[in-house]
Amino acid sequence: MYFVGLDLAWGEKNQTGVAAIDADGRLLHVGAAGDDNSIIAAIAPYTGDACLVGIDAPLIVKNATGHRPAEAAYNRDFQRFEAGARPAFTDKPEFKHPRGARIAEALGLDLDPSSDATRRAIEVFPHPASIVLFNLTKTLKYKRGPFDERKAALLTLMTHIEGLDAATPRLRVNRNVAWVALRKRVEAATRPSQLDRDEDPVDAVICAYVCFYWYDRPEDVTIYGDAESGYIVTPTLPGDRVRKPNQAAAQPGSDDIVTRLEQVQQMIERAQRELTAIRRQLGG
């Protein structure tokens, strides 16, 4: 049994983080791939037989606009940790036939989280997993912001992942040569583009571990949504960290504010992706 993680890029021009773990919790592979064919080739050694592939990207999108039901339910629990999910809807061209679903279909993977199939793919999200697994009060800001802060946050995340050696299930990354090299690259990074390059494989390891975690501890995982309208699989928030109903009461006008914030965030992230692509073209 193998557990595979894909931190999937929106388009084939940007890199996708790739990771694979075996049933003993050993990190077998961590790296990056580009287009769909190279992703499929990278994970082929781990998806021929029994496998669970965790993809950080919407897999099932049926709604034309707004949030999927899964995102709305998920955000009620995780928005306050700054780990909210952005809306996925079919009016966005990239979600008419989601890239993650295309890759899963090409590999013959079942997308139903309730299926008994031995070869499956599920939608996962590294941010809520890190909140639960590492008992964080907010998400680590390694994707944007001042370079020094991003670098420190990414190294902190890698240290947390290495600490899963003492968790249940146990994840062993420290003896993987590629992981050791990845950490050294992050430690030596001097430019934002270097962090852009290395954050994706780190996220992929979390995606793979969420699959492993669900396999080992299904009672400690929450599936928001379903196979009909879309879903997100993530480790469950402990009871003492779940917002009580009276705490969750919306303030007047809050829905409009959240929508506006999401729109601004989407514009920032599109600009960030463009900036990343330009940096890579310039080699710095």
Side-chain angles (χ1 to χ4, degrees):
M1 182 73 178
Y2 294 111
F3 306 95
V4 176
L6 295 178
D7 182 44
L8 193 64
W10 294 119
E12 296 193 46
K13 292 182 179 180
N14 295 326
Q15 73 168 16
T16 287
V18 181
I21 300 168
D22 69 10
D24 292 321
R26 293 176 296 189
L27 181 64
L28 303 179
H29 177 86
V30 59
D35 61 15
D36 290 0
N37 288 336
S38 65
I39 293 170
I40 291 169
I43 65 176
Y46 314 106
T47 56
D49 293 314
C51 65
L52 185 57
V53 179
I55 302 177
D56 176 18
L59 300 181
I60 298 170
V61 183
K62 301 293 181 64
N63 50 301
T65 60
H67 285 89
R68 296 177 295 168
E71 292 157 350
Y74 161 87
N75 282 344
R76 284 194 288 272
D77 283 345
F78 284 97
Q79 186 78 54
R80 64 195 176 99
F81 299 103
E82 298 177 359
R86 299 185 302 279
F89 47 87
T90 57
D91 275 2
K92 290 184 176 180
E94 62 266 33
F95 295 133
K96 290 188 182 299
H97 187 193
R99 187 183 184 196
R102 296 200 309 269
I103 291 173
E105 290 166 6
L107 289 165
L109 303 176
D110 193 325
L111 294 179
D112 187 343
S114 64
S115 169
D116 292 327
T118 59
R119 299 175 63 253
R120 290 182 291 167
I122 57 173
E123 181 179 334
V124 299
F125 192 9
H127 279 334
S130 67
I131 293 294
V132 176
L133 296 171
F134 310 134
N135 197 31
L136 302 178
T137 57
K138 301 289 183 184
T139 53
L140 294 168
K141 304 303 186 287
Y142 56 94
K143 291 187 174 293
R144 64 182 62 84
F147 171 79
D148 289 343
E149 294 178 14
R150 286 185 61 196
K151 179 176 176 178
L154 185 55
L155 287 170
T156 296
L157 178 60
M158 297 183 80
T159 299
H160 280 310
I161 292 171
E162 290 162 358
L164 293 173
D165 196 1
T168 301
R170 182 185 183 192
L171 175 63
R172 294 180 284 177
V173 301
N174 292 311
R175 295 186 180 181
N176 180 276
V177 173
W179 176 268
V180 173
L182 178 61
R183 184 174 187 106
K184 288 180 178 178
R185 286 202 307 270
V186 175
E187 290 172 340
T190 58
R191 299 189 300 274
S193 61
Q194 294 168 325
L195 300 182
D196 296 338
R197 172 196 64 199
D198 291 332
E199 70 184 35
D200 300 324
V202 175
D203 276 346
V205 173
I206 298 178
C207 294
Y209 185 74
V210 170
C211 294
F212 188 27
Y213 189 92
W214 184 28
Y215 181 80
D216 189 73
R217 299 171 57 173
E219 71 282 1
D220 293 323
V221 165
T222 296
I223 302 174
Y224 294 93
D226 53 41
E228 179 61 30
S229 61
Y231 62 88
I232 300 169
V233 178
T234 193
T236 301
L237 274 171
D240 61 355
R241 302 189 74 193
V242 175
R243 177 172 289 179
K244 303 299 186 292
N246 61 333
Q247 294 175 308
Q251 298 298 317
S254 64
D255 286 346
D256 179 60
I257 292 172
V258 169
T259 299
R260 287 161 58 195
L261 284 172
E262 287 171 345
Q263 290 171 344
V264 172
Q265 185 178 28
Q266 290 172 43
M267 288 189 291
I268 292 172
E269 292 186 348
R270 282 196 297 269
Q272 181 68 31
R273 290 196 294 271
E274 289 294 327
L275 181 59
T276 297
I278 292 170
R279 282 176 180 153
R280 286 175 178 153
Q281 288 176 356
L282 294 176

